[in-house]
Amino acid sequence: MPSFLREFFKRNGFGMGSLMLGLVLFWTIGLIILPQLSMLDFSFRPNLPPPEIGGPKDVYTVENYKYLVFGPEGGSQSYNAVDLNVFFRTLVAAVCVTIFNLILCYPIAYYLAQTKGNHIRIFALMLIIPYWINEILRAFALRIIFGETGVFNNMLVGLGIFDTPFDFIRNDIALYAGLGYAYILLMIFPIYNVIESLDRNQIEAARDMGASWTKIHQRVVIPYAKPGISSGCTMVFMLSAGALAAPQILGGPSSLWFTQLIYQQFNDNSDWPQGAAYAVVLLVTCILLVLAIMRLFKVNMGDIGK
Amino acid sequence: MSAGVGVDLENLWIRFGDFVAVRDANVNINGGDFFSFLGPSGCGKTTILRAVSGFLEPSDGRVLIGGNNMKGIGPNKRPTALIFQNLALFPLMKVWENITFSMEIKGASARERRKRADELLDMIALPGQGDKLPSELSGGQRQRVAIARALCAEPDVLLLDEPLSALDLKLRQHMRTELREIQQRVGITFIYITHDQGEALTMSDNIAVMKAGVIDQIGDGKTIYNDPATAFAASFVGENNVFRGKVKRVMGDEALIATNRSGDLVARISTANQGRMKEGDEAMMFIRPEAFALAPQGAAGDHFVTAKVNHEEFEGNAFNIFMEGDGGKELKVSIPNLGQSFDDHTGQNITLEYETKNAVCVPAGELAAE
Ligand SMILES: Nc1ncnc2c1ncn2[C@@H]1O[C@H](COP(=O)(O)OP(=O)(O)O)[C@@H](O)[C@H]1O
Ligand SMILES: [Mg+2]
């Protein structure tokens, strides 16, 4: 038995230790790793009617992956332009949502973390309480706000800024707002946590030595907050790339999110292997992208956990 | 004709809501001086320093640096550099980047900065340590880096907020000397804050003694120690024995005090209070432990004190005798160890004598807490 395990059992007792270890293993292996592995397995199989499963035709194949790139065999186009387009647009949009979110949340997190007083707690509550409401309801609420006769359009038309209502939905503004808002807390809290532990004297020391506010943030606060920023950005990026409800409800008719394609494969086409392949591609691409960006900004994996 | 830039506080008040943190402070600090604010924790020292550095605007009164009113001028625009109580080095920057941060702000090239950092590192006796992170240095080294960082900004006035309080005793004493040397070398004004009277006395040209937002006395170390203006200053700076009583008679710059426990004793009236004490006033008289000598048993007069010995201790350089004193506080006497034989007096009454010049009286007032 490795020494850290022995230490673990000594501290918690054998009974309690086994129970905790068992639950953790069940959680990671049973609920996360095995289902993902079976998805991976699915993605390499043909879509067969139930009687043929396990039969001679049930062999491993890369057909499903080829489909994403090249489209149906013998199709009119040499590439699956539609799906690939959606795929890349989704990634770019998720990056944009993440950047937009960061720009919005960093000042909020900084303000929350560096200001003392009771009103801060109220402010934080006001951020948290809306999240008690179901995600789908929140999305519909935004749809109403951004709708043709919604608050925004009433205001803009009322103020005479626009003559006719602006179509926020068709122009995807509602979608970006919805995605941005959906993960605001996941961006704010990691950054808040790190900045809260930043010694205020460091900010004052920089100021004392003549630094402007931009310089203070650039040289003192942001480097210090980097683990929180990376943690927030990773979560927001992963979750917006994988979001389904917001694009479904707030997306314009012409703009599909890649998750919607996956959903269609599973649900409408009953093609689980195809859906699984799409999902795997999305997951792997997102992970690689995150790793590459972490590398670019010299962030360690350990920092993400902060 | 002093070089350097002076600092003046004129009728300075600082309030936080209803709470008065600094009450009507008037201080003139000469250019090139090592000036200390000395007072117990919470008396408003940091608050004064923050007003000088520009992090706090005075509620009333003025802060002048080099004769210029600093009103409305932010900390980044004042010719001051502040060394924080916890140093506040930037943990993610290397030592040399920390030191030259002020040059980075002004847009100096990395090459220039590196050069200046090396000069300063030599000055603070840390050559070649520029590429370390602050966390890789010891407490004393970090201390010096903070000083170098502040000096690199070439301030006219260096402000130091209890910079030695985190160090151990040995290092603290060493750094006292070093700070004093640095100050004399660079020749700029140092404003130093401390609750440690030893630090204030050893380093400063002038000291302001503070109590609960009020400046009790300003003077050089010898004046503060020998000629305290208030009961607080007398009891806060150095060890002192207090005798409470009433003025019985005033004789020029001396007074006879009818003490509560030890009969009539004669004392010098401290300079600040001459002409201000009159018969019948409540008074306090102070005699330092080292100002007493053993006197023949039972000798009586206006400079003899007789009391019962509670216990004694041998401190190496001195024998300390603790006797029944005034107001429940023990009377402490230190007899220097010059190799003489020394009997145990515990439980006996002994008589002490002092010279009038070593006893000082002031109007009764609040004493420093232990
Ligand atoms: N920002 C503030 N708000 C309210 N009270 C304060 C503030 N800063 C300091 N004080 C109060 O002012 C007094 C003096 O504080 P400070 O100057 O830090 O004392 P010192 O440095 O002498 O220990 C303390 O009682 C402290 O509680
Ligand atoms: Mg302080």
Side-chain angles (χ1 to χ4, degrees), chain A residues 199-212 215-216 218-220 223-225, chain B residues 50 53 55 75-76 80-82 84 86 88-93 97 101-102 104-105 149:
Chain A
D199 175 13
R200 223 197 126 69
N201 284 348
Q202 277 180 32
I203 296 170
E204 293 198 338
R207 187 147 179 74
D208 190 48
M209 279 177 285
S212 61
K215 195 79 187 168
I216 290 175
Q218 181 196 337
R219 285 296 273 143
V220 179
Y224 189 84
Chain B
R50 291 175 66 80
S53 56
F55 288 109
N76 49 343
T80 57
L82 176 59
F84 290 79
N86 67 354
L89 294 176
F90 306 121
L92 301 174
M93 292 185 208
E97 293 176 296
F101 186 73
S102 56
E104 185 188 331
I105 304 294
R149 182 176 70 172

Side-chain angles (χ1 to χ4, degrees), chain A residues 143-186:
Chain A
R143 203 187 160 97
I144 294 170
I145 292 173
F146 282 112
E148 208 165 311
T149 54
V151 182
F152 274 115
N153 270 321
N154 280 346
M155 230 160 59
L156 290 174
V157 175
L159 289 173
I161 298 174
F162 289 131
D163 298 334
T164 51
F166 182 75
D167 196 341
F168 288 105
I169 309 264
R170 188 172 293 278
N171 286 294
D172 279 340
I173 290 179
L175 173 59
Y176 288 121
L179 282 173
Y181 181 55
Y183 307 118
I184 226 172
L185 286 189
L186 295 173

Side-chain angles (χ1 to χ4, degrees), chain B residues 269-295:
Chain B
I269 301 175
S270 80
T271 310
N273 297 296
Q274 279 169 18
R276 291 210 198 152
M277 294 179 75
K278 53 182 199 305
E279 260 177 59
D281 283 358
E282 298 279 343
M284 283 178 172
M285 190 181 127
F286 293 89
I287 305 175
R288 303 225 176 246
E290 66 272 17
F292 283 111
L294 292 175

Side-chain angles (χ1 to χ4, degrees), chain A:
Chain A
M1 198 171 4
S3 66
F4 73 89
L5 263 187
R6 205 172 316 135
E7 176 68 18
F8 177 77
F9 279 123
K10 212 160 84 191
R11 190 159 345 127
N12 297 293
F14 189 74
M16 195 59 188
S18 322
L19 183 68
M20 278 158 64
L21 200 63
L23 283 176
V24 168
L25 287 181
F26 173 70
W27 167 260
T28 47
I29 296 178
L31 297 179
I32 299 174
I33 296 181
L34 286 182
Q36 291 299 327
L37 281 181
S38 87
M39 269 297 148
L40 194 64
D41 181 63
F42 261 126
S43 74
F44 285 106
R45 287 179 187 279
N47 190 27
L48 297 170
E52 289 186 40
I53 289 178
K57 283 190 180 168
D58 196 356
V59 288
Y60 283 119
T61 161
V62 291
E63 267 322 301
N64 299 315
Y65 290 92
K66 269 169 110 179
Y67 182 87
L68 171 59
V69 183
F70 301 109
E73 235 164 295
S76 54
Q77 282 173 311
S78 49
Y79 287 101
N80 189 349
V82 176
D83 288 7
L84 283 178
N85 188 15
V86 171
F87 177 67
F88 288 114
R89 249 211 359 245
T90 302
L91 289 182
V92 170
V95 169
C96 291
V97 166
T98 308
I99 293 171
F100 168 73
N101 229 333
L102 176 62
I103 293 171
L104 184 73
C105 293
Y106 175 81
I108 299 178
Y110 177 79
Y111 175 77
L112 286 178
Q114 285 291 317
T115 320
K116 293 189 198 88
N118 267 334
H119 65 289
I120 289 304
R121 224 170 291 153
I122 295 167
F123 202 96
L125 269 184
M126 279 164 44
L127 281 173
I128 293 168
I129 286 178
Y131 284 80
W132 295 357
I133 298 167
N134 180 302
E135 185 189 0
I136 300 191
L137 283 183
R138 263 185 287 136
F140 272 113
L142 277 178
R143 203 187 160 97
I144 294 170
I145 292 173
F146 282 112
E148 208 165 311
T149 54
V151 182
F152 274 115
N153 270 321
N154 280 346
M155 230 160 59
L156 290 174
V157 175
L159 289 173
I161 298 174
F162 289 131
D163 298 334
T164 51
F166 182 75
D167 196 341
F168 288 105
I169 309 264
R170 188 172 293 278
N171 286 294
D172 279 340
I173 290 179
L175 173 59
Y176 288 121
L179 282 173
Y181 181 55
Y183 307 118
I184 226 172
L185 286 189
L186 295 173
M187 187 64 97
I188 290 180
F189 278 107
I191 302 179
Y192 166 84
N193 258 334
V194 186
I195 297 187
E196 205 193 13
S197 68
L198 171 65
D199 175 13
R200 223 197 126 69
N201 284 348
Q202 277 180 32
I203 296 170
E204 293 198 338
R207 187 147 179 74
D208 190 48
M209 279 177 285
S212 61
W213 283 114
T214 344
K215 195 79 187 168
I216 290 175
H217 281 280
Q218 181 196 337
R219 285 296 273 143
V220 179
V221 187
I222 292 178
Y224 189 84
K226 207 163 79 174
I229 292 175
S230 356
S231 168
C233 286
T234 327
M235 278 197 280
V236 170
F237 172 72
M238 287 293 196
L239 288 173
S240 17
L244 182 61
Q248 198 87 289
I249 297 164
L250 293 167
S254 61
S255 68
L256 271 179
W257 210 249
F258 194 65
T259 45
Q260 287 172 287
L261 292 186
I262 299 175
Y263 181 77
Q264 281 172 8
Q265 296 293 359
F266 275 101
N267 205 49
D268 305 349
N269 304 352
S270 298
D271 191 347
W272 281 45
Q274 189 61 66
Y278 274 31
V280 167
V281 169
L282 182 64
L283 179 66
V284 170
T285 316
C286 285
I287 291 177
L288 290 179
L289 200 66
V290 164
L291 289 178
I293 290 176
M294 273 167 61
R295 184 121 201 204
L296 189 67
F297 286 99
K298 301 201 182 73
V299 182
N300 295 322
M301 204 56 188
D303 291 343
I304 300 279
K306 278 185 187 164

